[in-house]
Amino acid sequence: EQARLKAGVVEEDTEEWQKDSSFAGLERVGGVDLSYIKGDDTSACASLVVLSFPALEVLYEDCRMVAVSTPYTAGFLAFREVPFLVEAVQRLQPEEARLKPQVLLVDGNGLLHHRGFGVACHLGVLTDLPCIGVAKNLLQVDGLVRDELHKEQIRSLQKEGDTFPLTGTSGRVLGMVLRSYNNSSKPLYISVGHRVCLETAVRLVKSCCRYRIPEPIRQ
């Protein structure tokens, strides 16, 4: 099932607003996340927040408690979480179509995944929306490790907007490490989800950051 869905991933920009240096035409950016109650891995809050762009003001919020029944299996997290996020996106239609996000920032990974199909890719293919993976920690795949060299590269990110590529032993660039905020030395790990290229993904995440975590996900 994962391989079948993966065949639908588009790794290039598909929207007019993506081609513009200031993202002219982009008006709504969504953020999604599934957060668990501490000590309970079956009760979670599925959230979709839509912000205006570039002002980053909240236009729409949908947060509801859900019962997660699919067990967690490494590499298949999306099967556990994505159905609830798809439902949140679908609840927007059709009466609130004017609030529908033009792109989703996903708390998780996209192509940066054991089989190149993380939660951001999975959600993108199922909703057919441009999606970007924004992770707080490095997923150690394809030879990527949080070793001294990686930490040194992170230290080399001196100011917000600085980046370096995550190149696996396969030679593929799986994502980009971004220092998103001057006051935080902890970076973000950006990867392509669907219908967006990596360069555009990094640029958009950077433009959505008031703090370390981009506003659509932070909200």
Side-chain angles (χ1 to χ4, degrees), residues 70-158:
T70 306
Y72 170 70
T73 310
F76 296 100
L77 176 70
F79 289 93
R80 181 172 157 83
E81 299 193 345
V82 161
F84 302 109
L85 303 178
V86 170
E87 283 172 11
V89 173
Q90 287 172 341
R91 278 196 291 272
L92 260 168
Q93 298 148 4
E95 65 282 357
E96 287 149 331
R98 62 192 171 74
L99 294 175
K100 188 179 178 184
Q102 292 162 277
V103 58
L104 287 173
L105 304 191
V106 184
D107 189 342
N109 293 295
L111 296 179
L112 181 57
H113 176 267
H114 306 282
R115 285 171 300 281
F117 193 72
V119 65
C121 298
H122 202 123
L123 184 62
V125 170
L126 291 183
T127 59
D128 201 31
L129 286 171
C131 279
I132 298 169
V134 183
K136 297 185 276 292
N137 300 297
L138 174 66
L139 184 64
Q140 304 194 12
V141 298
D142 193 14
L144 296 172
V145 284
R146 199 178 151 72
D147 57 7
E148 204 43 53
L149 171 62
H150 183 75
K151 291 173 185 170
E152 186 55 44
Q153 286 177 302
I154 289 173
R155 285 192 287 272
S156 75
L157 304 175
Q158 293 296 304

Side-chain angles (χ1 to χ4, degrees), residues 31 36 42 46 55 60 74 78 83 86 103 106 122 146 161 168 185 197 199 205:
Y36 295 86
T42 59
Y60 173 88
V86 170
V103 58
V106 184
H122 202 123
R146 199 178 151 72
S185 57
C197 76
E199 181 193 357
V205 170

